[in-house]
Structures are given as C-alpha cells and as structure tokens.
Amino acid sequence: MSDENRALQELADSDYKYGFVSDIEADTLPPGLNEETVAFISAKKEEPAWLLDWRMKAYRHWLKMEEPTWAHVGYPPIDYQGVSYYSAPKSPEDGPKSLDEVDPELLATYEKLGIPLHERAALAGIAVDAVFDSVSVATTFKDELSKKGIIFGSFSDSVKEHPDLIRKYLGSVVPQGDNFFAALNSAVFSDGSFCYIPKGVRCPMELSTYFRINAATVGQFERTLLVADEDAYVSYLEGCTAPMRDENQLHAAVVELVALDGAQIKYSTVQNWYPGNKDGVGGIYNFVTKRGKCMNRAKISWTQVETGSAITWKYPSCILQGDDSVGEFYSVAMTANHQQADTGSKMIHIGKNTKSHIISKGISSGKSEQAYRGLVKIQRGATGARNYSQCDSLLLGDQCGAHTFPYIEVKNPSSVVEHEASTSKISEDQLFYCQQRGLSQEDSVSMIVNGFCKEVLKELPMEFAVEAQALLGVSLEGAVG
Amino acid sequence: MSTGNAMGHFLNEIEKFDDQQAGTQPAWVGTLREFAAERFDQLGFPSTKHEEWRWTNISSVSQGHFAYSAQPANLDEPEILRSALRSALGEVSGPRVVLVNGSFSPALSDLGANIKGLRLLSLAEALEESDPRVEAHLCRYANSNELAFAALNTAFLKDGAVIEIDESACIDAPICIVSLISASKKSDLSLASYPRLLILAGSNSRATVVESTINLGEAESFLNTVSEVVVDEGASLTHVRLQNTNRQNLQVSTLQARLAEQSRYALTTFSLGGALTRNDLTVKLAGPEASCEVNGLCLLQQKQHVDNNVIVDHAVPECTSSQIFKAVLDDESRSIFSGKVIVQPDAQKTFAEQSNRSLLLSDRAESDSRPQLEIYADDVKCSHGATTGSLNEEALFYLRSRGISPETARVLLTEAFAREIADNIELESLREHVLQLLREKLGEDAVEAVA
C-alpha cells in the first residue's frame, strides 16, 4: 500500500465533521405522495389558486415520466411513496419576528455549523435567508436591501408579497415538466428563496442561503428563483451541510436564474451534504436542476465546490438566448469512499456572439465514481459563438473511477468550440520535486491539489473561498495522513 | 423500438433466406443464424432514444423495403466491372477478394494462391469446409446478443471474405477486399447485402488489408457489414477502409478487433460516399503492451450523414491507444463522432489519446461530438480534445494577399486539414489513391463555389 493509499484510508476513517442531529419538533406530513399531498403543501403555504394549479400540472406530468437512468450512478430504486413531503419547524404560524424570537436550539445548530447568524451577518455583511428544513425562520438585512428595492426573502413569503413577479418568472427557465426531478420539485417544493434585483441596481452585499436537512426521511425540495433586471448585478452564495443520517435522503432542488439585458448573476455553491459513511451507507441523494437564462449582454457565472452527497446529479446550465451574452461554469468536485457524482454543465448558444467557458476539476479517491457530463450546443443562428471547455480529473487511489462524457453539437460554422480533458494521478515526479525541496508528503499533495483547483477556487467570493479551501483541506488532511 | 411493420419486413426476409439455405450450410452455422435472428427480433432497430444512437435516425433503413439478393447484376459486362475495380483501388495491387452484392465473385477475385503465409478465401467456402480456425473465431467478437445490426448481419450469414495470415508471415502486398454494390433500378425492392469479413493475423505476422466499397449505378441500397479482426501476439496489422458509395447508399458496419500481447493494429476509415453511414468500431486491447490507432476522415457534402462510434477498451495494463477523427462538412451534411476510451480496473500504465476535429464549411452543416473517457484505474494518462470551427480567416487572408483566389485558398486549406489522416498511410499507392479521391471531392467544391 503506497503512502497515498494509506492516507486515503485514514480519510475514509475520519468521521463526518458536521454530523449531528438537532432535536426540534417538526410538523411533518406522513410519507406518501398524491394530489392531496400537493394540495396540503399548497394550503399550508396559503398559496393562491394559480400556484396550486401549477403544482398539480407538474404532479400530473411527473406521473407520466420515468426516472432517468442515463447518469453514471447506481442506487437502489427510490420509493417516492416512502418519503415525507412536508416538514416545518414548530409553530410556523406565529413564526419569529426577529432573531431574538428564533428557537434557541435552531440558533445553536447554526453555531455548531459555524454560522453565527447575527454576528456573521453583521460582520461579513451577508444577508442570510436561512432555510431550516422547509420554512424560512430568519431573514436578515431585509430592510437594508429593500431600501435599494431589492427583494430577497423566502419563497412562500414572496408568493404572498410579490405574486406578479413570481407568476411571471416561475418556471420560465425550468418548466414544470423539464425533467423527472424538476417535475417532482415543481409539484411538492416546500420553500426556498426568491430574489429580485431592480433595474440598474448593484446588490451591495453577497446574498446567501444556508440549506440544511434535518428531520429524518424528509426530502428537501427547495426552489430558488433569482431575477436580475436590466443592468443589475448580484452575487449569490449557497452553502449546505447536513447532519449524519443512516437512511438515504432525497434532495431535489430547482434553481432558476433570469438575467435580463445587461444583468450579471454570480451564483456560487459549496455543497457538503452528508456523503454516507465509509461503507457507502446513508448519505444524501442530490438531484438538482440549476439553469439560468441570459438575455442580451447578460452574464451568468456558476461556481461550485462539491464535496458532499452520496449521489450528485447536477448540471448547472446557461441558456445564452440574448446576443453577446456570456455563460461560465467553474467546478471542483471531490468524491471519496463510495460517493458518486455525475455533474457538469450545459451551455446552449442561441444568440449571436455568445460566449461560454467551462472549467471542471474532478478529484476522486477511495471507491468513488465521478463523471463530468456536459453539453455545448451551438444553434444555427449563434453566429460568432465561442466555447472553451476544460475538464481535468485527478485520481487518488486505484479503485476509483473518473469519467468524461462531453456532448458537443455545432450547427454554425462561424463558431469555435474547443474541448479538452485529461485524466491522471499525481505524478511521482511532482511529488518528488516538492519533497526534495523539503516539503512533507502531506504538504506536497495538498499543494498540488490546491494548484489543480486554483482556477476554480479563485472564482469564489472571498467568504466562500475560505470555506471551500477549508473543506478541501479537511478532506486532504485525511487524504495525506 | 421501431414499428412492428418494419421489423416484420426484415423478419420475413430472414425467414425467406433461412428457407433458401435449408440444408446447404453446416449445422453450427444454422445455429448461429438462428440465435442471431431471435436476438434481432428481440432487440429491434435502435431508435434515437438509445444513447448510442441519439444523433442518428435509422428509420430510412428500418422503414425501407430492402430485399436480400444473391443475384449480382451486370456480371455480364466485365468492362464495367473492371473499371469499377480501378475506381475502388486505384493503382493498389495485391491479392483480392471481390464481393458483388455481398457474394464472392471468383471471376473478379485473385486469391494470391502463390503468396506464402496467406490464405485468402470466400466465407462461403470456409463455411462449407467448416474451416476449424474460422469456426473457432466466427461470431466470437461481434456481439449478436447486444448489437441489433450485428445480429441482423449474422442472421444472413452466408458469404464474405476470410483472411488468414500464418504465424510469422510477412505479407508485403496489400490484401484487398472490394465490395461492389450493383443494384438494378427497375426492381421495386432496393437491394440489401450482408457481407462478413474475418481477419486472423497469426502471431508475429505483418500485413496490410485494404477494404474498399463502391456502387455501380445510382440505385438505392443497404449494406450491413460485420468485420471481426483477431491480432495475435506480436502481430502488426494495418487496416484501411475506404467507403465511396453512391448518395443512395445506407450503410451500417460493425467492426470488432481483439488485440493480443504486444500486437499492433492501425485502423483508418475514410467516409466519402453514402447517404447515411454508421460505423461501430470496437477495439479491445486484451494483451499487455498492445497498441492501436483508430483514425478516420469524413468528407461530406449535400445531406450526407456519417456517424462514427468508436470504443477502445483497455482491458489489461500497459496498452497504448490513439484516435484521431476529422470531418470536413459542407452543405447540409452532418458528422457525428462518439469515441469512448474505457480503462478497466487494474489496466494500469494505460496511455490513451483521443481527438476529434471538425471543419464546418457551410452554415447548414452540423457537427456533433461526444469524446468520452471512462476510467477505473489511477496510474493512467488519458486525454481527449475536440474542436469545431471554420477556416482560419487570417490564413485565408495570407493566401489571398499572395494572389491566390479565395476558392483556391479554401481548397488548399481544406486539403491541408484533411490530408493529415491520409498522409499517415504507409503504402504509397494507396496513399496516392486516397489523396486523389480527396482532391476530386474538394475540387468539385471549388467548381461549385465559382459557379
């Protein structure tokens, strides 16, 4: 066994740092899914009739769909009737008016996660719409944002306060019947975030939402809708950790971004859901649909650091509909033990002179399987379109898998599309070079991996870069003993 | 799956064929055919919902009325056939098997009986005498169980060519397999043929095989071929396939190669003709230190459609593979490249490269590319790249600033792009023949552009 392998073994043995369960009474719906479940959720949220219809349409469509099997992942069949579709923390009706009223246990949970909500929000200048299970319990900085006309809040509140905006944009990027998991989400989504940046406004702070799954066997069905009006700018951060759990939990979120003419959206994710233990027991099933639509001169940039989840199925995409729009995707995915990840990006070039850039870095170790799956599509009218994709994989250990499945469809001769990918392990030469300069093996590997991911990490906002590096650091700590 | 009607037509054809063969073939061949027919019935034609067929719709095959015919037409006009041979092979000369509509033509073939270490014969003959080597290898690699078109071909197992190269034999002359498709326009049913090729390269042997497929006349036809290639220890086999059929030809070919220790296999395919061409090329590196090159060039115009689906399977350690596929696409043509490199667990020290480059000359052409890596071992070096674009404006400007007309400049640059694949051919006569074909096809473009 080489040093590396031994190190990886140690990584595998280390416990999930964020694995704990908070004991909060939840108002949970019994497992099962039918039209009544959908109606119950809608009623619970006091939603208008059009939204209930919208959910029903999604549900009926979902019934006709088949679960996709093309992804390079394997898992036992999911019993969709065995999942509970609604769970809200106790007494949401007379919910907290301010941080002081928030359930102390809940706040303690955030403390354990290293998110001291009030302090951190104040110090870092971040507005946190914290999602705990399914109902938003605390929203900060809302006032400050509202002065600029920015709407940022939980999805259910926004439905009541800004029904016109929601009605206009909900499903405009990811329609109800888009795919199996998006349809499921559309039918039963519990809550999420809504954000609207008015014309010409530059959002003064990084917006962020912390997701967290808590009550047992409750699937999270988050819905995020982010609209940046003309020439607006917003940077949105999303991060998640989940407590230790033995049963697989289903998570099917939908994120929709709308960037109108000249708008810019930067969406960053650090995903650290519970990945299951070293034998592959437990862990989150993460089936996410993320898509953005760019109008003229708009830009959407996805950055993600994926270290968690037993199964990740996620393809943040950009529809470059307007002329001169830009789509970017930067990803670092790290899988260990029995984790499986099938992730990548889709760039659909429709407008003229549209540009897209994909950088994907995969690191697999243990018995994990990782796949990059991406689509670059240049439509007939996308004159002058340009794409560059680079997908590199680093293999740590001889039992893991790294796969690359890019799809490239080009219908316009004036476009230039390039794709490059490589797969290798850390070379003995690189290690030797570092070590003969006096670095320990641990530091050497850490340095090489950090260098490997640097291109992506530098795209993260400062606050997140720290967290991301820490996350990779934790994994590597184990990896090199 | 396609409709019952279309399957029904092909199943009827299989039944008719089966009746004709009653008692003429050894029992083991009948068993192979029977199994394949059954599997074909179960598998059905693949649809675009199959991941491997997502970009190629073969309804023109499944909905077509193609009839198996063992009756070669035009055989009474030797002059036409001789000129067809010339256009198939150019100045390349060597022992050859000529198949007319999939059936062996003794009159046109030259089996090179005096060449030491080579046994070249028709498949029908090999089956008749139950050649033990043929029996041991036939249908062992091309998977009737999973591939519908391999099953369809096997259901019509009757004729084709067998190349057996003895241990340590070095065959200097290229071994040629010419497939002539000669369909008569008068018939209501279009012609279908199902030839089969088996190449057995003995250990430490060395040989070059040239396959060329062309049409006589402009009638519609369907060609479904299966080739099985076995390269034994230390052998080196070069295999060039030249497809220059008419614009009414539909073709689905399956090629499966198996490479033993320290062997080398170089496969190059040129797709110039045909309305729809699908090549399923699979190379399995089954012995350590084996190496393979799989290269291809598509030069397409009008509504031509070529789909190259390549799988290189690294099953054991220390093997090397490389793939280069290029496409030049004009008018409304479309090329598809799906290349997969699989590195099996424990296939350490693998080195694999894959590259796909497409040149779009028209705003109605389309290039689809899916270069894939599936890697289950860590000590490997695998890379792939894909690019799609048009001619470099600066290079065009440079040539024009030197007084070269835009049309000529385009042809020059396009030829430079395309000839990389042809330049790799070692055999001079063949290289010249291929380059000549490329020039003819590109020259046509230039004339059209001026007009």
Side-chain angles (χ1 to χ4, degrees):
Chain A
M1 209 186 212
S2 74
D3 284 348
E4 250 172 65
N5 288 352
R6 197 177 314 120
L8 280 162
Q9 190 60 44
E10 282 167 32
L11 162 70
D13 293 342
S14 68
D15 274 337
Y16 180 63
K17 201 172 146 194
Y18 300 125
F20 50 83
V21 177
S22 0
D23 194 9
I24 291 182
E25 212 179 304
D27 181 4
T28 302
L29 199 67
L33 177 58
N34 50 40
E35 295 202 356
E36 278 166 35
T37 318
V38 177
F40 174 86
I41 295 169
S42 187
K44 195 91 184 163
K45 304 250 153 221
E46 297 163 22
E47 285 173 0
W50 66 264
L51 192 51
L52 176 63
D53 287 349
W54 195 84
R55 283 175 183 270
M56 282 299 178
K57 203 175 147 198
Y59 174 70
R60 285 173 196 143
H61 196 95
W62 178 75
L63 286 177
K64 285 181 240 154
M65 297 176 97
E66 277 176 40
E67 196 172 334
T69 53
W70 43 259
H72 197 91
V73 294
Y75 52 90
I78 296 170
D79 176 10
Y80 291 94
Q81 296 302 333
V83 176
S84 171
Y85 288 88
Y86 184 79
S87 153
K90 200 184 167 187
S91 59
E93 280 80 15
D94 47 12
K97 304 282 183 292
S98 73
L99 279 177
D100 303 336
E101 290 177 33
V102 171
D103 193 334
E105 179 123 11
L106 194 60
L107 291 178
T109 306
Y110 290 126
E111 292 292 340
K112 274 191 249 174
L113 280 172
I115 320 157
L117 195 59
H118 41 290
E119 279 177 28
R120 183 171 173 152
L123 287 172
I126 295 171
V128 178
D129 177 7
V131 176
F132 187 90
D133 273 344
S134 310
V135 169
S136 295
V137 287
T139 302
T140 50
F141 284 98
K142 212 169 171 176
D143 293 341
E144 197 176 321
L145 291 174
S146 63
K147 274 180 210 153
K148 292 213 166 224
I150 295 170
I151 301 164
F152 179 46
S154 80
F155 201 90
S156 356
D157 292 346
S158 305
V159 168
K160 289 172 203 149
E161 291 160 23
H162 311 282
D164 296 346
L165 280 174
I166 302 252
R167 198 167 179 176
K168 183 170 177 193
Y169 292 110
L170 182 68
S172 67
V173 186
V174 182
Q176 291 118 304
D178 186 76
N179 66 65
F180 184 82
F181 298 110
L184 180 64
N185 174 288
S186 301
V188 300
F189 70 88
S190 39
D191 209 337
S193 302
F194 172 73
C195 179
Y196 173 82
I197 318 287
K199 266 184 201 176
V201 171
R202 191 182 167 89
C203 184
M205 60 187 80
E206 314 268 358
L207 301 179
S208 91
T209 300
Y210 276 86
F211 295 92
R212 191 173 161 77
I213 297 179
N214 201 285
T217 69
V218 173
Q220 284 278 125
F221 301 93
E222 295 294 337
R223 187 110 198 166
T224 304
L225 176 59
L226 209 159
V227 182
D229 213 324
E230 289 170 25
D231 299 310
Y233 168 87
V234 62
S235 169
Y236 191 93
L237 317 181
E238 172 199 73
C240 25
T241 56
M244 190 171 264
R245 188 69 65 189
D246 274 330
E247 216 171 303
N248 290 302
Q249 289 184 313
L250 179 64
H251 182 91
V254 171
V255 176
E256 290 180 277
L257 309 185
V258 181
L260 298 179
D261 291 1
Q264 277 192 40
I265 300 175
K266 190 175 168 69
Y267 195 101
S268 315
T269 308
V270 171
Q271 189 263 111
N272 187 28
W273 303 105
Y274 176 52
N277 69 10
K278 64 179 180 207
D279 299 317
V281 177
I284 304 294
Y285 288 0
N286 189 20
F287 302 110
V288 187
T289 306
K290 288 185 167 180
R291 195 175 303 152
K293 189 159 80 176
C294 293
M295 305 312 287
N296 294 333
R297 294 172 286 106
K299 177 178 174 183
I300 288 179
S301 172
W302 297 99
T303 308
Q304 59 173 29
V305 175
E306 303 274 331
T307 58
S309 292
I311 296 171
T312 304
W313 183 99
K314 181 181 177 184
Y315 315 93
S317 317
C318 295
I319 299 171
L320 302 170
Q321 193 166 321
D323 294 349
D324 303 301
S325 56
V326 179
E328 287 177 351
F329 175 75
Y330 301 95
S331 166
V332 169
M334 183 152 182
T335 52
N337 298 322
H338 289 266
Q339 276 178 277
Q340 303 176 62
D342 195 295
T343 184
S345 182
K346 283 192 211 171
M347 295 290 173
I348 316 290
H349 291 254
I350 301 170
K352 293 187 177 68
N353 299 318
T354 45
K355 292 185 172 54
S356 66
H357 197 182
I358 296 175
I359 304 284
S360 168
K361 306 278 180 182
I363 303 153
S364 30
S365 66
K367 290 182 175 146
S368 66
E369 295 281 339
Q370 197 176 113
Y372 168 84
R373 186 184 302 274
L375 168 70
V376 175
K377 192 169 189 168
I378 311 286
Q379 300 283 41
R380 197 71 76 205
T383 307
R386 182 81 173 87
N387 160 269
Y388 176 72
S389 309
Q390 189 185 343
C391 314
D392 295 326
S393 305
L394 195 61
L395 293 150
L396 304 173
D398 56 4
Q399 289 175 58
C400 50
H403 320 301
T404 319
F405 307 116
Y407 292 68
I408 302 160
E409 301 182 17
V410 183
K411 294 186 184 172
N412 188 303
S414 64
S415 59
V416 179
V417 177
E418 289 173 283
H419 173 93
E420 272 187 286
S422 69
T423 304
S424 57
K425 64 171 196 169
I426 294 178
S427 83
E428 297 293 330
D429 291 351
Q430 286 171 329
L431 269 182
F432 177 75
Y433 178 83
C434 292
Q435 283 180 279
Q436 59 106 337
R437 298 283 150 159
L439 293 171
S440 70
Q441 196 197 15
E442 180 186 340
D443 289 343
S444 311
V445 172
S446 170
M447 197 167 90
I448 293 165
V449 170
N450 261 304
F452 178 73
C453 302
K454 195 174 176 183
E455 233 177 317
V456 173
L457 295 179
K458 75 173 169 46
E459 293 295 325
L460 286 169
M462 188 63 160
E463 297 82 358
F464 251 26
V466 173
E467 191 172 330
Q469 263 165 10
L471 263 180
L472 284 182
V474 166
S475 314
L476 283 170
E477 232 169 60
V480 290
Chain B
M1 294 295 146
S2 86
T3 61
N5 277 347
M7 282 301 290
H9 171 73
F10 279 87
L11 292 172
N12 275 341
E13 281 288 310
I14 292 175
E15 213 166 291
K16 257 195 272 170
F17 176 81
D18 195 45
D19 291 344
Q20 285 168 18
Q21 306 312 313
T24 60
Q25 287 182 326
W28 63 274
V29 179
T31 314
L32 285 174
R33 281 200 289 112
E34 210 169 292
F35 172 75
E38 201 175 297
R39 278 308 290 161
F40 174 69
D41 187 13
Q42 289 158 355
L43 291 166
F45 284 108
S47 76
T48 48
K49 284 187 179 158
H50 289 66
E51 185 66 11
E52 301 301 320
W53 290 84
R54 59 181 282 149
W55 286 317
T56 297
N57 185 340
I58 42 118
S59 62
S60 49
V61 173
S62 60
Q63 306 295 330
H65 286 274
F66 296 101
Y68 171 81
S69 166
Q71 300 296 322
N74 292 341
L75 262 187
D76 47 346
E77 294 170 62
E79 211 28 64
I80 294 175
L81 290 169
R82 257 177 256 289
S83 89
L85 272 187
R86 264 197 305 279
S87 63
L89 291 174
E91 297 300 314
V92 179
S93 73
R96 65 172 184 265
V97 164
V98 178
L99 303 169
V100 180
N101 296 343
S103 299
F104 177 63
S105 160
L108 294 168
S109 303
D110 164 13
L111 299 180
N114 54 348
I115 297 175
K116 222 180 134 209
L118 172 72
R119 184 157 184 261
L120 184 61
L121 70 164
S122 76
L123 180 66
E125 192 187 338
L127 293 181
E128 210 168 291
E129 63 192 47
S130 274
D131 181 316
R133 278 186 80 188
V134 171
E135 193 175 342
H137 291 286
L138 195 69
C139 297
R140 290 287 182 277
Y141 314 100
N143 195 339
S144 296
N145 207 16
E146 284 166 28
L147 303 171
F149 281 100
L152 180 61
N153 174 286
T154 311
F156 287 97
L157 183 61
K158 187 183 181 188
D159 210 346
V162 176
I163 302 172
E164 289 182 40
I165 300 155
D166 289 349
E167 202 174 302
S168 304
C170 181
I171 316 290
D172 291 323
I175 305 159
C176 305
I177 309 292
V178 179
S179 225
L180 295 180
I181 304 165
S182 161
S184 118
K185 264 187 175 171
K186 287 166 202 155
S187 166
D188 292 341
L189 293 170
S190 305
L191 181 102
S193 52
Y194 304 92
R196 199 170 179 109
L197 175 63
L198 179 65
I199 305 177
L200 302 171
S203 53
N204 299 317
S205 65
R206 188 185 154 89
T208 300
V209 173
V210 180
E211 257 186 277
S212 183
T213 310
I214 60 162
N215 280 80
L216 291 174
E218 290 303 313
E220 196 181 33
S221 56
F222 168 55
L223 180 66
N224 176 13
T225 73
V226 170
S227 309
E228 291 173 295
V229 180
V230 182
V231 188
D232 282 343
E233 275 176 33
S236 170
L237 182 67
T238 305
H239 189 178
V240 178
R241 304 174 102 194
L242 199 50
Q243 192 262 81
N244 197 12
T245 50
N246 69 17
R247 300 287 165 85
Q248 306 297 321
N249 176 247
L250 310 172
Q251 181 172 345
V252 180
S253 327
T254 308
L255 180 141
Q256 301 265 336
R258 190 189 162 84
L259 275 60
E261 198 173 336
Q262 290 187 331
S263 63
R264 177 186 167 275
Y265 179 56
L267 171 67
T268 311
T269 68
F270 293 92
S271 305
L272 307 176
L276 183 147
T277 305
R278 160 83 176 203
N279 291 317
D280 279 292
L281 312 170
T282 305
V283 178
K284 183 166 184 166
L285 297 151
E289 292 176 53
S291 72
C292 78
E293 286 166 40
V294 185
N295 300 335
L297 174 68
C298 305
L299 208 59
L300 308 180
Q301 292 160 348
Q302 292 161 6
K303 290 193 170 179
Q304 286 185 290
H305 178 118
V306 172
D307 182 348
N308 281 310
N309 187 26
V310 185
I311 298 173
V312 174
D313 185 357
H314 285 259
V316 294
E318 294 171 54
C319 293
T320 308
S321 72
S322 85
Q323 296 170 41
I324 303 172
F325 275 81
K326 284 188 159 189
V328 178
L329 305 167
D330 205 350
D331 302 329
E332 288 168 61
S333 62
R334 186 173 180 192
S335 103
I336 290 137
F337 170 74
S338 301
K340 187 186 267 186
V341 174
I342 303 171
V343 179
Q344 303 280 7
D346 300 328
Q348 304 292 6
K349 311 275 179 206
T350 287
F351 183 83
E353 285 177 319
Q354 195 183 41
S355 145
N356 175 223
R357 300 180 63 192
S358 305
L359 183 60
L360 295 177
L361 298 177
S362 144
D363 53 9
R364 286 162 299 158
E366 176 170 352
S367 156
D368 300 313
S369 178
R370 197 164 57 120
Q372 307 181 71
L373 300 173
E374 210 174 306
I375 296 165
Y376 299 94
D378 69 330
D379 191 3
V380 301
K381 263 206 174 126
C382 299
S383 64
H384 67 194
T387 57
T388 306
S390 53
L391 289 175
N392 184 334
E393 288 298 327
E394 281 173 28
L396 277 175
F397 177 77
Y398 176 84
L399 290 175
R400 290 186 64 188
S401 75
R402 293 289 182 274
I404 293 168
S405 75
E407 290 75 26
T408 314
R410 275 174 203 284
V411 171
L412 275 176
L413 289 174
T414 310
E415 193 193 318
F417 174 85
R419 69 178 291 157
E420 182 193 344
I421 305 289
D423 281 342
N424 280 338
I425 300 173
E426 281 170 38
L427 189 70
E428 199 188 339
S429 56
L430 181 60
R431 186 173 61 234
E432 281 308 318
H433 177 53
V434 172
L435 285 173
Q436 184 55 36
L437 290 175
L438 296 188
R439 275 192 290 263
E440 274 170 25
K441 213 169 165 183
L442 292 170
E444 277 173 24
D445 282 355
V447 173
E448 276 171 25
V450 173

